[in-house]
Amino acid sequence: MAQKEKQIKTVYLLRHAKAENQDLKKNDHERRLIDKGIRHAGKMAKLLEDFRFPPEAIFTSSAARAHETAQIFAKALKLENQLTVEDTLYSASQQAYLQRIQKMPEELSSVMIVGHNPILEDLLVTLTSRSPFHTKMPTCALAAVHFHVTLWSEIRPATGILRMLLYP
């Protein structure tokens, strides 16, 4: 049997947009986007509309600020029906994020994960072996990482190629 040809799998890592400041009266999970965050998310989503290989599905933390950011991107990319909210992405470790990536549906070749720092920065360093000084992800930062693999399960630390890191 012939070996399957390797292809490119792309993971877009998106940090949620600018949210309300932490407040002792409000649960962190419930913090929402502020106007500046909504504007930045809209501008960044518009950029992604013209990409040659945009995400085919979006997976987001259940935190209000991440979910709102994901919804803005889903609407711009016409992916409202491919938006999945996952509680585990709210407080997960970078290892849990990596395991989630490795279990992506094989019919997808490009996915977006909307989450939080410091996990996303740590994950970006782990996946690409880039210096932490070159992988900073302020609010609404978007990184694209390519992997030359056949299956999502083949993705390992230090196998990704950072193709882009944008922020508003």
Side-chain angles (χ1 to χ4, degrees):
M1 182 175 189
Q3 184 179 4
K4 285 181 88 174
E5 184 177 323
K6 292 205 183 293
Q7 56 184 342
I8 293 178
K9 299 277 191 188
T10 302
V11 175
Y12 289 94
L13 299 176
L14 176 65
R15 183 176 174 200
H16 65 78
K18 186 76 174 158
E20 299 169 318
N21 290 329
Q22 290 185 338
D23 182 347
L24 295 176
K25 298 175 189 170
K26 195 171 204 174
N27 182 318
D28 179 68
H29 195 265
E30 298 168 0
R31 290 174 44 219
R32 300 183 57 105
L33 296 182
I34 61 173
D35 289 343
K36 179 180 180 180
I38 293 168
R39 282 193 316 274
H40 283 175
K43 288 178 183 178
M44 294 294 287
K46 188 116 182 92
L47 284 174
L48 203 51
E49 282 182 85
D50 298 327
F51 280 25
R52 187 171 172 194
F53 301 107
E56 300 164 332
I58 300 174
F59 298 84
T60 183
S61 157
S62 59
R65 60 195 181 274
H67 189 203
E68 287 180 65
T69 303
Q71 288 176 315
I72 292 168
F73 276 76
K75 184 175 181 183
L77 299 170
K78 297 174 179 47
L79 293 174
E80 292 97 338
N81 294 329
Q82 289 80 34
L83 175 61
T84 303
V85 179
E86 298 190 3
D87 287 330
T88 56
L89 293 177
Y90 172 59
S91 59
S93 66
Q94 67 169 309
Q95 183 61 34
Y97 271 67
L98 175 58
Q99 289 171 349
R100 179 62 188 99
I101 291 167
Q102 292 169 332
K103 293 178 181 168
M104 288 293 171
E106 292 304 333
E107 65 272 12
L108 299 174
S109 60
S110 179
V111 298
M112 175 182 282
I113 297 178
V114 184
H116 310 272
N117 262 355
I119 302 304
L120 287 181
E121 284 181 0
D122 294 343
L123 180 62
L124 191 54
V125 168
T126 297
L127 292 175
T128 64
S129 291
R130 300 286 298 244
S131 162
F133 297 106
H134 298 109
T135 54
K136 294 294 180 199
M137 295 190 73
T139 53
C140 213
L142 176 67
V145 182
H146 290 186
F147 299 90
H148 294 277
V149 295
T150 304
L151 304 169
W152 289 105
S153 60
E154 296 172 330
I155 292 176
R156 301 282 183 269
T159 60
I161 301 166
L162 180 61
R163 288 292 183 200
M164 169 196 77
L165 180 56
L166 300 174
Y167 38 88

